[in-house]
Amino acid sequence: MKPLTRYALLQILSWALVVLVVLLLLRWGWINATAAGVVIVLWLAKDVLLYPLYLPAVAAESAVSPGVGAMVGRTDSSRYF
């Protein structure tokens, strides 16, 4: 699965919750349609801006982050007091 697809799937619940809350606020008359649109656009913009920070977490192993494979076969060197 591509990282963008995985990220979008992780965000679906928060998008649904924001839309639900905004629709309820609209129905109760606490906000107008313009404010509702701004809230939804800002929420989506937040997810777009945070996507680059998500990529390194799902990137393939690299020299900077060798992953679990670097620990296979190693022994513990901690001391117990």
Side-chain angles (χ1 to χ4, degrees), residues 37-60:
V38 168
V39 167
I40 291 174
V41 167
L42 288 175
W43 194 267
L44 293 174
K46 179 234 3 147
D47 289 333
V48 169
L49 291 173
L50 288 178
Y51 177 68
L53 299 175
Y54 171 78
L55 278 177
V58 295

Side-chain angles (χ1 to χ4, degrees), residues 3-68:
L4 181 58
T5 305
R6 181 183 287 172
Y7 185 72
L9 289 173
L10 287 171
Q11 301 308 318
I12 286 176
L13 185 60
S14 69
W15 295 338
L17 185 62
V18 166
V19 169
L20 176 68
V21 168
V22 166
L23 288 175
L24 287 173
L25 292 175
L26 270 171
R27 182 176 180 173
W28 295 331
W30 291 2
I31 62 173
N32 60 19
T34 304
V38 168
V39 167
I40 291 174
V41 167
L42 288 175
W43 194 267
L44 293 174
K46 179 234 3 147
D47 289 333
V48 169
L49 291 173
L50 288 178
Y51 177 68
L53 299 175
Y54 171 78
L55 278 177
V58 295
E61 294 181 4
S62 65
V64 175
S65 173
V68 178

